[in-house]
């Protein structure tokens, strides 16, 4: 059974960088698939942030691209998100998820999500 | 950027059929995926590529997609189906609809 678990600070100061990691178990990232990050502000809908392939190729939401970096560590079977210059608008539950492929493919396994609050 | 439009809320009587729509320009030419999200939980994929059910999803859940509207249909609605539902497509980027709250009366 594929499982994903997000981890990272729950509180980040404005203008700083948000950093989260997603640990994957039950499946080797090196075996394939894409791995993505999605966020959900409190009481609002889902927003895709970006996704990465095990080889390291990435694709990002154009609206966030200038501030986002997603990386993968196959030796630890995990991938990470960095979002720079955060503001209160970046306060959200952040989910990591497995994606079957690029474009026209769903997110079939999700982590439980982690709330990140941007506040001084 | 591509936009997906969902009704904010849909109500259905217990045991009846609920239909949740997802509107977008020529969405019928795209693959649509649907997620169910219950309060405090992560989304769960219930339909992928318009009309396919993942393993473990009841046959009561079905989907269709044509023209400018994709539809998630929930037959014989149960209290446990109360949740938010989101559609998703790819259009040079992953796009989610705004979500629909389903209430089972």
């Amino acid at each position: 059974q594929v499982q994903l678990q997000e981890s990272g600070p729950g509180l980040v100061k404005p203008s700083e960088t948000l950093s989260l990691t997603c640990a994957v178990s039950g499946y080797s990232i090196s075996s394939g698939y894409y791995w993505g990050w999605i966020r959900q502000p409190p009481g609002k809908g889902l927003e895709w942030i970006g996704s990465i392939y095990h080889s390291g190729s990435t694709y990002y939401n154009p609206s966030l691209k200038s501030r986002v970096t997603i990386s993968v560590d196959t030796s630890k079977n995990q991938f990470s998100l960095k979002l720079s210059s955060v503001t209160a608008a970046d306060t959200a539950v952040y989910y990591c998820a497995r994606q079957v492929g690029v474009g026209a493919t769903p997110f079939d396994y999700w982590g439980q999500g982690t709330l990140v609050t941007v506040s001084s | 950027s591509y936009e997906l439009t969902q009704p904010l809320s849909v109500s259905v009587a217990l045991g009846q059929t609920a239909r949740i729509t997802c509107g977008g320009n020529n969405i019928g030419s795209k693959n649509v995926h649907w997620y169910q999200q219950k309060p405090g939980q992560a989304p769960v994929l219930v339909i992928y590529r318009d009309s396919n059910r993942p393993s473990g999803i009841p046959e009561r859940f079905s989907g269709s997609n044509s023209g400018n509207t994709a539809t998630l249909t929930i037959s014989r609605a149960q209290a446990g189906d109360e949740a938010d539902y989101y559609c998703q497509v790819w259009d040079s980027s992953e796009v989610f609809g705004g979500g629909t709250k389903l209430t089972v009366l």
Side-chain angles (χ1 to χ4, degrees), chain B residues 1-2 6-7 27 29 55 58 68 71-72 83-84 89 92-93 98 103:
Chain B
S1 61
Y2 193 80
Q6 297 184 236
I27 195 173
S29 66
S55 174
N68 293 318
T71 303
L72 172 69
D84 294 327
V89 302
S92 301
S93 177
T103 300

Side-chain angles (χ1 to χ4, degrees), chain A residues 43-65:
Chain A
K44 297 187 178 181
L46 302 169
E47 180 181 34
W48 172 70
I49 299 170
S51 299
I52 189 166
Y53 193 52
H54 69 86
S55 63
S57 62
T58 55
Y59 68 121
Y60 298 135
N61 185 327
S63 68
L64 297 170
K65 186 175 182 177

Side-chain angles (χ1 to χ4, degrees), chain A residues 22-38:
Chain A
C22 180
V24 180
S25 59
Y27 187 86
S28 172
I29 286 181
S30 299
S31 296
Y33 288 98
Y34 277 75
W35 305 88
W37 290 96
I38 302 100

Side-chain angles (χ1 to χ4, degrees), chain B:
Chain B
S1 61
Y2 193 80
E3 293 188 359
L4 295 172
T5 301
Q6 297 184 236
L8 284 177
S9 63
V10 168
S11 297
V12 62
L14 185 68
Q16 297 304 301
T17 298
R19 294 178 179 84
I20 299 172
T21 59
C22 177
N25 184 33
N26 197 28
I27 195 173
S29 66
K30 303 180 183 300
N31 288 304
V32 180
H33 318 300
W34 290 92
Y35 302 88
Q36 175 193 70
Q37 186 181 33
K38 296 182 178 180
Q41 298 183 19
V44 173
L45 179 67
V46 293
I47 292 289
Y48 66 96
R49 292 182 186 143
D50 298 343
S51 58
N52 297 280
R53 276 188 321 277
S55 174
I57 300 301
E59 292 183 6
R60 301 185 298 104
F61 288 80
S62 62
S64 62
N65 185 19
S66 178
N68 293 318
T69 304
T71 303
L72 172 69
T73 301
I74 306 171
S75 304
R76 303 182 299 283
Q78 301 178 359
D81 298 332
E82 277 207 350
D84 294 327
Y85 290 85
Y86 295 89
C87 55
Q88 176 213 342
V89 302
W90 162 263
D91 184 82
S92 301
S93 177
E94 304 294 351
V95 181
F96 288 95
T100 298
K101 180 176 180 58
L102 177 67
T103 300
V104 179
L105 305 173

